[in-house]
Amino acid sequence: MTFTSKIMRSDGKLVFTPIGRVDAESVDQFTAELIDAAREAKTSGMMVVDLAQLDFMVSRGLRALTMAQREGAVMKLAAPNAQMVEILKISRYDKLFEIMDEA
């Protein structure tokens, strides 16, 4: 499965939804799109990364989350699948980001 993403605004927040796999081939695209979304969200002050449609993420994808958070918007993660929950816990990203059940 290839990687795509979508952005929408809802209730005063920007929702960034990665779809598919963030792997070695797509991590640069994911990073660029995520950081662009974070810069856009800086004006509203809140961004949610909806992980519900993300199947997999390499460790460089986690780095991208950190880079995006540094752009200044409050960033929360939402709806990770069981594999992503495990990745977030092992990497301790569950301590860096608030994780919500849904976007």
Side-chain angles (χ1 to χ4, degrees):
M1 173 178 253
T2 60
F3 170 78
T4 62
S5 69
K6 63 182 178 180
I7 295 174
M8 63 179 239
R9 291 200 174 270
S10 174
D11 299 325
K13 65 186 173 206
L14 184 141
V15 179
F16 176 82
T17 305
I19 303 165
R21 294 176 56 87
V22 175
D23 55 24
E25 293 179 16
S26 61
V27 70
D28 291 334
Q29 177 187 353
F30 169 73
T31 300
E33 291 176 10
L34 180 66
I35 290 173
D36 286 347
R39 288 179 179 149
E40 185 180 331
K42 190 186 282 188
T43 59
S44 66
M46 167 113 111
M47 176 170 154
V48 175
V49 180
D50 183 356
L51 301 173
Q53 298 180 62
L54 186 66
D55 297 327
F56 174 79
M57 180 185 293
V58 293
S59 61
R60 284 182 54 208
L62 295 174
R63 180 177 176 268
L65 292 172
T66 303
M67 292 168 58
Q69 185 181 44
R70 290 182 183 156
E71 291 298 322
V74 173
M75 198 163 98
K76 299 179 181 183
L77 307 180
N81 65 26
Q83 182 177 7
M84 282 304 304
V85 167
E86 188 68 21
I87 290 169
L88 294 169
K89 284 182 180 180
I90 289 170
S91 64
R92 300 190 51 86
Y93 271 62
D94 62 335
K95 307 293 185 213
L96 295 174
F97 296 96
E98 179 181 341
I99 300 174
M100 309 178 331
D101 290 335
E102 59 185 51

